[in-house]
Amino acid sequence: MPEAPSHYLCNKPNGKVDVATDSSITESSNNKALKYIEDVTSNADEIQKRVLAEILSSSAHAEYLQRHGLDGRTDRDSFKNIMPVVTYEDLKPDIDRIANGDTSSILCSKPISEFLTSSGTSGGERKLMPTIEDELERRSLLYSLLMPVMDQFVPDLEKGKGMYFLFVKSEAKTPGGLLARPVLTSYYKSSHFNNSKQRYDPYTNYTSPIESILCLDSYQSMYSQMLCGLSQNEQVLRVGAVFASGFIRAIKFLENHWLSLCRDIRNGTLDPEITDSSLRDAIMKILKPNPKLADFIESECKKESWKGIITRVWPNTKYVDVIVTGTMSQYIPILDYYSNGLPLVCTMYASSECYFGLNLNPLCEPSEVSYTLIPTMAYFEFLPLEKTKGHANISISHPDQELLVDLVDVEMGQEYELVVTTYAGLYRYRVGDILRVAGFKNKAPQFNFVCRKNVVLSIDSDKTDEVELQNAVKQGAKRLAEFGASLTEYTSCADTSTIPGHYVLYWEISRNDETPIPGCVFEECCFTVEGCLNSVYRQGRVSESIGALEIKIVENGTFDKLMDFALSQGASINQYKTPRCVKYAPIVELLDSKTVSSYFSTKYPHWVPGHKKWCIFP
């Protein structure tokens, strides 16, 4: 395989790892990274064949491959003819065995080092994705390519710092003793991330000390990261978070706490609520009394309008680095408002299952973002979506194996569901992401992220599908029967006009009598619905990255008017059904205009760290 940038780790054909020796990102190493991208995209199919052979040969004796009769074969044709296309539910029995302590070679020959918890859910709980130690090297490789690409468009970033709001989440241990945690928590706690923080590297040259990122207390972590970012405001050249929603929460935090932050900057002190001793020590090495800076920040935060607050407080900022594709696109207007229209940069495409690729044109408009899949990351296949009257049908549940096409065989403009085979033991696994071919980098396709399959509502990292929403609403509406009422129709939307954003349910109710329904009953309905949603949603509510669910009661006949509107726009009366989620502004405006009352959940739904009844890792 082509040689990777010399200062990072790279997976080699023989399975060995080259350890980097360079201590800085230089023009030479940037060029080497760009050459690596050029090489792997020019030889995409050859590399994909080699990656598949490497995966299959290294795990030839794994039980899963033996069970399906691959019998040590490593060629692509045998793999495609024999191995089934699978979902998480197909793998769950094997994953549960590993989680419960079975250390035999079930999915792959290398030991499973931990589980990465996916934000996609299974039975209301996070999915568990097996991973191996080598995967950290592949993730580091992809990270190592980002700044060389960015440097082509925004030079001299090495002369300043990045203000990124990064957080870890709670960990659990499975009954077999393996860690189960989100992929970014795993990465931030790894030696790969910590070592890059210790050497000079523009990509991880952040305003925040590592202690603030690793602090589990969300308030202390956010406060300290914001404080450090403010105190080094002139050095900040780029700002960001993983998701757009997370960055907006950080700006809202500044709006709520600027008085305390300015006091600490002015005096060189630290708020007593920051009780983590290692965190306090790390911040005090950065923080110095600066009354002039405190006055400047205070004067900006006092102004009536917060338009352009990012460029006002951090005047040298060149771009905002956040994910704004998929459901995160709903946050683009407010990001534009806060940033005065700075470029919104989506740098990479990754998931718990695998890291996939990067954006080679990072300053493009958010609607034009496309990701080039790096063929060394995994073996990629694509399930074409059936076309039904001009629309993609994503409901294929058991596709024929021969339908899948390889990385270099996808067609321009066609939409596909991504299927991966990874070094960590996923074989022909349906990720659930829908991608559209937008172009090619040499022989490697570039994809727009279209959507997450079946997801109807999302605010942060939560993903709620239509079936889950239906079941939650059904449970929530049961209280209405006590008052001779029932739910006749409903729909929903994700309201991001509030910070944090929240789910809104529009309910139309029929009544058998005129018994008034107390407002507290609807509040209980809200709470019941939230309690029936998945653990990722409930965790978001408890950590306040998602706001309280709202139920809006609409006038009788509202959903008839909704149907009339759809028919006026060309929908067929024979095929019309009430949408369970609405995004189109005129429809939301129609529903809001017919709203007679609204209610919010007044309590947090039940959530505790961990998976099912597994122990919490301290």
Side-chain angles (χ1 to χ4, degrees), residues 325-459:
T325 51
T327 58
M328 288 295 130
S329 64
Q330 61 195 328
Y331 296 104
I332 291 172
I334 194 168
L335 283 171
D336 284 339
Y337 176 82
Y338 283 139
S339 72
N340 249 348
L342 283 175
L344 303 178
V345 172
C346 302
T347 56
M348 65 185 292
Y349 172 36
S351 76
S352 302
E353 293 88 344
C354 176
Y355 276 31
F356 303 121
L358 63 161
N359 181 3
L360 297 182
N361 184 23
L363 294 189
C364 67
E365 290 297 316
S367 61
E368 298 173 358
V369 169
S370 66
Y371 300 103
T372 302
L373 299 199
I374 300 300
T376 54
M377 293 292 106
Y379 182 67
F380 301 112
E381 295 178 276
F382 301 86
L383 175 62
L385 303 187
E386 293 180 346
K387 296 293 184 178
T388 305
K389 296 184 179 179
H391 298 284
N393 174 9
I394 58 175
S395 62
I396 303 172
S397 56
H398 295 93
D400 293 333
Q401 291 167 217
E402 60 267 21
L403 286 177
L404 273 67
V405 298
D406 290 316
L407 181 67
V408 298
D409 295 328
V410 296
E411 298 177 5
M412 185 71 182
Q414 171 69 297
E415 293 185 3
Y416 300 88
E417 182 182 345
L418 178 60
V419 177
V420 298
T421 295
T422 71
Y423 287 87
L426 300 178
Y427 306 96
R428 310 195 88 180
Y429 178 84
R430 298 175 67 175
V431 174
D433 289 352
I434 307 303
L435 309 177
R436 180 188 302 115
V437 182
F440 290 84
K441 168 65 174 177
N442 297 320
K443 295 181 179 179
Q446 299 174 309
F447 295 92
N448 304 130
F449 181 90
V450 177
C451 65
R452 178 76 181 174
K453 188 175 66 175
N454 298 331
V455 171
V456 295
L457 286 173
S458 179
I459 292 293

Side-chain angles (χ1 to χ4, degrees), residues 473 476-477 487 489-490 505-509 525 551-554:
V473 168
L487 179 66
E489 247 333 338
Y490 78 93
L505 301 179
Y506 295 94
W507 282 13
E508 185 173 319
I509 294 171
C525 291
I551 290 178
K552 293 185 176 182
I553 307 301
V554 297

Side-chain angles (χ1 to χ4, degrees), residues 21 40 66 95 97 124 234 262 266 380 399 514 517 549 604:
T21 56
V40 297
Q66 292 289 324
I95 288 173
R97 284 174 57 194
E234 293 285 350
C262 287
R266 179 175 286 107
F380 301 112
E514 296 302 315
I517 304 175
L549 181 140
Y604 292 113

Side-chain angles (χ1 to χ4, degrees), residues 449-518:
F449 181 90
V450 177
C451 65
R452 178 76 181 174
K453 188 175 66 175
N454 298 331
V455 171
V456 295
L457 286 173
S458 179
I459 292 293
D460 191 53
S461 59
D462 53 300
K463 296 178 177 69
T464 299
D465 63 33
E466 187 171 326
V467 173
E468 181 182 5
L469 181 63
Q470 169 72 28
N471 291 335
V473 168
K474 182 179 178 181
Q475 291 300 315
K478 284 184 176 180
R479 283 292 309 275
L480 301 180
E482 300 172 22
F483 300 88
S486 62
L487 179 66
T488 55
E489 247 333 338
Y490 78 93
T491 190
S492 66
C493 74
D495 184 352
T496 56
S497 65
T498 61
I499 303 175
H502 67 287
Y503 289 6
V504 177
L505 301 179
Y506 295 94
W507 282 13
E508 185 173 319
I509 294 171
S510 65
R511 302 189 183 189
N512 297 326
D513 55 49
E514 296 302 315
T515 305
I517 304 175

Side-chain angles (χ1 to χ4, degrees), residues 64 85-99 107 115-130 174 180 352-353 397-398 417 425-432 452-453 611-612 614:
Y64 184 84
V85 181
V86 299
T87 65
Y88 184 79
E89 293 307 317
D90 297 317
L91 299 181
K92 193 172 183 301
D94 288 323
I95 288 173
D96 285 346
R97 284 174 57 194
I98 298 169
L107 293 176
F115 284 111
L116 303 177
T117 54
S118 170
S119 58
T121 60
S122 176
E125 298 294 335
R126 291 179 182 267
K127 294 178 181 177
L128 297 178
M129 295 299 161
T174 71
S352 302
E353 293 88 344
S397 56
H398 295 93
E417 182 182 345
L426 300 178
Y427 306 96
R428 310 195 88 180
Y429 178 84
R430 298 175 67 175
V431 174
R452 178 76 181 174
K453 188 175 66 175
H611 186 90
K612 297 180 181 176
W614 297 348

